């Protein structure tokens, strides 16, 4: 499947192409639930115009891949990437973890689970621990949780800031 969302996300594109039918069905269920959430947030006259979720499972994976690629050495881009986008990407990574532990648990051992693990490993390689929370003034977890419950992505900072 060639989705525009896979632009600059080749690993996600490859994983998506190889998904077994059972995982595709699980993803479709997640996306249908997300679509209803997104529709519920707009005026009634606009609801039916929204036919697919902005924050689909595929988009969340592609988004995480794009931020990881952006952090890696050698990334060259002149796209505008504000620090607020980084915060959104970390929050999106939180939602991927929740999906993989919940509705897409059967996908953890397959291509999606491997992709998420590989992207997380690359994220760790492109970041350093941030015990001082140097970015917290700008990058804050959106859910109120104790620090110990936050994913490691909230506790690290990029070696090279992509918003410079």
């Amino acid at each position: 499947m060639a989705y525009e969302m896979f632009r600059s996300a080749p690993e996600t594109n490859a994983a998506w192409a190889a998904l077994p039918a059972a995982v595709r069905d699980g993803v479709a269920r997640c996306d249908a639930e997300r679509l209803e959430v997104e529709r519920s947030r707009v005026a009634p006259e606009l609801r039916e115009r929204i036919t697919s979720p902005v924050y689909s499972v595929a988009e969340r994976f592609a988004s995480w891949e794009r931020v990881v690629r952006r952090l890696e050495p050698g990334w060259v881009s002149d796209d505008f990437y504000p620090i607020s986008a980084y915060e959104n990407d970390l929050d999106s990574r939180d939602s991927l973890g929740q999906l993989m532990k919940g509705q897409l648990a059967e996908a953890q051992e397959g291509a999606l689970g491997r992709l998420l693990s590989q992207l997380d490993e690359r994220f760790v390689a492109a970041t350093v621990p941030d015990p001082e929370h140097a970015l917290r003034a700008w990058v804050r977890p959106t859910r109120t949780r104790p620090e110990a419950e936050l994913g490691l992505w909230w506790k690290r900072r990029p070696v090279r800031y992509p918003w410079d």
Side-chain angles (χ1 to χ4, degrees):
M1 288 186 205
Y3 294 104
E4 175 60 25
M5 73 188 79
F6 294 140
R7 185 182 55 78
S8 301
E11 290 93 349
T12 302
N13 190 18
W16 232 255
L19 289 182
V23 174
R24 285 183 192 269
D25 291 345
V27 166
R29 284 189 300 276
C30 290
D31 285 347
E33 288 177 20
R34 181 64 200 182
L35 178 60
E36 290 310 310
V37 168
E38 291 180 15
R39 281 179 168 170
S40 73
R41 296 178 177 167
V42 299
E45 60 273 10
L46 299 177
R47 285 188 185 130
E48 295 310 311
R49 293 183 193 171
I50 301 172
T51 59
S52 61
V54 172
Y55 293 106
S56 69
V57 176
E59 178 54 45
R60 288 184 247 187
F61 269 94
S63 174
W64 186 235
E65 180 179 346
R66 284 190 298 268
V67 76
V68 168
R69 289 170 55 98
R70 185 178 294 278
L71 298 177
E72 292 176 322
W75 173 267
V76 178
S77 176
D78 56 359
D79 321 6
F80 178 65
Y81 186 75
I83 196 166
S84 60
Y86 183 69
E87 179 178 8
N88 289 339
D89 289 333
L90 296 183
D91 189 50
S92 183
R93 174 56 186 87
D94 281 342
S95 71
L96 279 176
Q98 292 164 354
L99 285 173
M100 293 298 284
K101 288 177 185 168
Q103 296 157 295
L104 295 176
E106 73 277 4
Q108 284 183 337
E109 300 301 318
L112 291 184
R114 286 189 302 275
L115 174 62
L116 191 55
S117 292
Q118 291 165 354
L119 292 173
D120 288 349
E121 288 169 15
R122 289 169 53 193
F123 176 83
V124 168
T127 60
V128 294
D130 185 21
E132 306 85 25
H133 307 298
L135 299 179
R136 272 311 152 78
W138 303 276
V139 179
R140 297 183 187 105
T142 56
R143 292 186 175 81
T144 309
R145 290 185 299 213
E147 189 71 27
E149 292 179 15
L150 294 174
L152 72 91
W153 37 94
W154 292 103
K155 300 172 186 176
R156 300 183 67 83
R157 63 177 173 74
V159 171
R160 183 181 69 71
Y161 293 131
W163 46 84
D164 281 345

